[in-house]
Amino acid sequence: MPLLAVEDLSTAFDTEGGRVTVVDQVSFEIDAGETLGLVGESGCGKSVTALSIMGLLPKPAGRTVGGSISFRGEDLGAVPVERLQQVRGNRIAMIFQEPMTALNPVQRVGRQLAEAYTLHAPGASADEAKGRALELLDQVGIPAAERRLTEYPHQLSGGMRQRVMIAMALASRPDLLIADEPTTALDVTIQAQILELLRDLQRETGMAILFITHDLGVIAELCSRVVVMYAGRIAEQASATALFANPRHPYTQGLLRSIPRLEGEPKTVLSTIPGTVPDIGDLPTGCRFANRCPHVEDVCRQRAPVLEEAAEAHRVACHRWRAVEAA
Amino acid sequence: MTSYFIRRFLLIVPTFIGVTILVFAVTRLVPGGPIERMLQEAAMAGADVAASTSGFAGHGASSLSDDQIDQLKAYYGFDKPVIVGYAEWLGKVVRLDLGTSTRYSEPVWDTIKDRFPISIFYGVTTLILTYSVCIPLGIVKAIRHKTTFDNLTSAVVFFGYAIPGYVVAIALLTVFAGNLGWFPLSGFVSDDFDDLGTLGKIGDVAYHAVLPLIAYLAGSFAVTTMLMKNSLMDNLAAEYVRTAIAKGMAFRRAVFAHAFRNSLVPIATSFGNNITLIVTGSFLIEQIFNIDGFGLLGWESLVERDYPVVMGILVISSLLFMIGNILSDICVALVDPRVKFGSGEASQ
């Protein structure tokens, strides 16, 4: 049994212009201890997928309208909110993109850390909680932890704050960490440190990570398997090695081509994917990538493609993947 | 931060001088003054007497010789240039002497002092009632945004806000004191107040206070309630609340454990200014209910050209206002640890 199984998940938002389906029949699984990358451009539904898993969709506008999310065999969509509270932060923890705003500005770091622990260890004394907070800060590599506990978030740098967020997430030794673009807001050097830290922590604790990013470079560094999303749907799903070696979906191919490479010819024009993502409120009936795809044919505009097994553990949602591969 | 507040307190001195010198100059420059007012009153009194005895209208101006008028002016210090007069006045203020009321012929401080209990009673009661209603109401409205409860209370609160307090006062007085006779028509206490026991006294004050308080409060809920509601809603949507829920906290608890204190920041920015409630009060409402508070005193002393009292009230209200501003700053610093006044203690 996988640790987390997301099956046909659909999430919609009620807007003034009617209901908009932001995540459309997304399925994937995460095994214990593995790192799954969820990649796609802004607005493709990757963050909403994460929030759906956590049950953190902004209310009342957002809701899951189909599919199931089962964690260790328990359908998180069907359990009462009290049960969800026991899972959140305890078995599944989450860190966010903006460490600047994700911490409460008027509470000391120590209190916020201790709270993450005591919420799931109700009997713990203040001393125990403080001890755990120190331990956690130490674990995420924050020096002078004792002093940091008494500081406020604004007294820490961005990288430090993200480390505090990670420490909070680790408080109850979760089975799964959902990391929603945790390095996007940070400097490149700090980014590398945080990725390094996550990798080390995973090795130490054996937790699984769902890593959400728009950065394929980060995926390559951290993930064993990758799910590529485009406009609310899964475009391609494969192991990281297979995806980088042999991308099958025209969108993935476009993405990989648009990364500047050291071995490339210097001073040449960087390849881009022409066109723009279709409006999420007005999606085409056929393939959502059709308007930007170099391999488009009539069938692409008429019917939406379904995920097909192109190779062992390599699935792609494209009518023309065979032709694309041959080309 | 301490140096910042010391600087703020020191700044009170020049600000105070600026405010008082302006008003002092205006009282000297506008036509009419306490002397003229007294002469006019004397003339009218003389005219009444004259009319009733001999049927001739007397000439008021002749009741005092120019010499006597000059003496009066000298007595009140109106014979000197503005700056000299101001310097003398300020010199007395520094020695805690606010001068003598031209209308009551008693020390200004005594005149003002008599109003304090009444104004403090209304000020503090208004303050307590406003915050104890607005903050919980704002919280509930934020949590139940766009429900029937929220819409209904908004309607009520804005209805009260839209009607001027004195109109509410007249309406209340007409219906509940006039027609129904449930509440007294006017005054702060009954005539037999001194004969009542402690409980009776409390009851008497409360009995007299119901209608004026409603008139005072009708319009005062809207601003603070909506400020609390909007500020809390902003914070409920903040990412750190999402973090708290992601940690496994229940939403309700996250409201109080995380969002609440953050949403008090805008409320705190005006909290210190409530100290001026002690000396404000609406002269219209006080007039309608015949309450001898500060509002009425200020208004009457202006009409009667009782400039020493006008200046005395200005001294107290401007000082309280400036102290209130500093108190607000302290409140904000207490609620929000990010606020660091001054440059000496910047965070690393």
Side-chain angles (χ1 to χ4, degrees), chain B residues 235-320:
Chain B
N235 282 291
L236 287 181
E239 286 188 36
Y240 66 81
V241 170
R242 196 175 62 184
T243 306
I245 297 171
K247 281 197 251 180
M249 192 178 265
F251 175 73
R252 290 265 155 145
R253 201 171 143 203
V255 172
F256 293 100
H258 287 277
F260 182 62
R261 187 169 160 197
N262 280 285
S263 57
L264 283 183
V265 175
I267 307 264
T269 54
S270 64
F271 189 80
N273 298 101
N274 287 315
I275 194 175
T276 55
L277 275 177
I278 293 165
V279 288
T280 46
S282 154
F283 80 85
L284 276 169
I285 293 176
E286 289 185 1
Q287 176 93 44
I288 291 163
F289 288 105
N290 195 19
I291 300 163
D292 258 344
F294 256 93
L296 202 55
L297 177 67
W299 165 248
E300 281 175 352
S301 51
L302 265 179
V303 170
E304 301 288 338
R305 302 284 194 276
D306 191 351
Y307 290 142
V309 174
V310 172
M311 291 304 293
I313 291 177
L314 183 75
V315 167
I316 293 173
S317 57
S318 58
L319 282 180
L320 283 177

Side-chain angles (χ1 to χ4, degrees), chain A residues 2-284:
Chain A
L3 182 66
L4 180 83
V6 175
E7 216 165 312
D8 285 334
L9 175 72
S10 294
T11 300
F13 282 82
D14 291 322
T15 68
E16 275 165 26
R19 179 171 286 191
V20 176
T21 306
V22 180
V23 172
D24 196 1
Q25 293 176 40
V26 164
S27 304
F28 57 85
E29 291 176 353
I30 302 174
D31 287 324
E34 82 161 332
T35 304
L36 177 71
L38 190 54
V39 70
E41 53 200 274
S42 308
C44 74
K46 52 194 195 301
S47 287
V48 173
T49 304
L51 293 175
S52 304
I53 296 169
M54 290 293 281
L56 286 175
L57 291 167
K59 288 190 177 118
R63 75 191 64 183
T64 54
V65 291
S68 68
I69 296 153
S70 63
F71 179 72
R72 295 173 168 280
E74 187 179 15
D75 184 356
L76 294 183
V79 299
V81 68
E82 290 78 18
R83 173 66 193 139
L84 214 50
Q85 282 158 18
Q86 288 169 2
V87 175
R88 285 181 194 144
N90 187 15
R91 300 329 320 144
I92 310 179
M94 185 162 179
I95 55 175
F96 301 95
Q97 179 172 345
E98 276 292 344
M100 309 286 164
T101 51
L103 289 164
N104 187 341
V106 305
Q107 269 185 19
R108 293 176 202 280
V109 168
R111 183 165 159 196
Q112 299 189 53
L113 266 167
E115 182 185 77
Y117 176 66
T118 50
L119 274 169
H120 302 289
S125 68
D127 275 354
E128 276 169 42
K130 194 192 164 193
R132 179 76 180 128
L134 277 172
E135 205 177 290
L136 288 166
L137 283 187
D138 201 44
Q139 203 177 358
V140 297
I142 292 185
E146 186 88 33
R147 182 165 61 89
R148 293 296 180 195
L149 286 184
T150 63
E151 290 186 338
Y152 289 97
H154 70 271
Q155 293 169 294
L156 308 178
S157 67
M160 283 285 185
R161 281 182 239 194
Q162 195 59 286
R163 282 173 195 264
V164 170
M165 283 298 293
I166 295 170
M168 273 183 0
L170 294 178
S172 304
R173 301 183 178 86
D175 301 316
L176 172 64
L177 174 70
I178 300 178
D180 186 4
E181 306 228 24
T183 57
T184 307
L186 306 173
D187 293 345
V188 187
T189 46
I190 308 295
Q191 221 174 67
Q193 290 173 13
I194 295 287
L195 292 180
E196 180 77 38
L197 174 68
L198 284 173
R199 211 172 15 222
D200 290 348
L201 289 171
Q202 187 177 33
R203 207 176 304 131
E204 278 170 46
T205 64
M207 65 181 173
I209 298 179
L210 172 59
F211 199 97
I212 297 168
T213 182
H214 62 260
D215 188 342
L216 284 167
V218 171
I219 294 276
E221 220 163 306
L222 208 65
C223 302
S224 47
R225 285 195 306 124
V226 191
V227 171
V228 181
M229 279 184 78
Y230 183 79
R233 282 194 183 148
I234 292 182
E236 187 166 2
Q237 195 173 345
S239 72
T241 19
L243 190 93
F244 287 109
N246 188 13
R248 290 174 188 271
H249 197 285
Y251 174 62
T252 319
Q253 293 174 347
L255 276 183
L256 286 169
R257 262 199 301 274
S258 54
I259 299 172
R261 284 169 196 281
L262 280 176
E263 63 267 29
E265 181 84 6
K267 307 227 167 118
T268 49
V269 177
L270 186 66
S271 165
T272 55
I273 303 174
T276 53
V277 187
D279 179 7
I280 202 84
D282 183 26
L283 290 166

Side-chain angles (χ1 to χ4, degrees), chain B residues 4 36 83 85 90 103 132-133 198 230-231 235 259 264 281 310 323:
Chain B
Y4 171 82
E36 288 77 1
I83 289 298
L90 193 62
R103 188 157 56 119
S132 58
V133 168
T198 315
N230 291 331
S231 159
N235 282 291
L264 283 183
V310 172
I323 293 171

Side-chain angles (χ1 to χ4, degrees), chain B residues 68-89:
Chain B
Q68 283 172 310
I69 292 173
D70 286 343
Q71 265 178 355
L72 265 178
K73 283 189 174 172
Y75 178 72
Y76 287 111
F78 290 123
D79 55 338
K80 302 181 184 84
V82 178
I83 289 298
V84 179
Y86 177 76
E88 277 182 9
W89 176 81

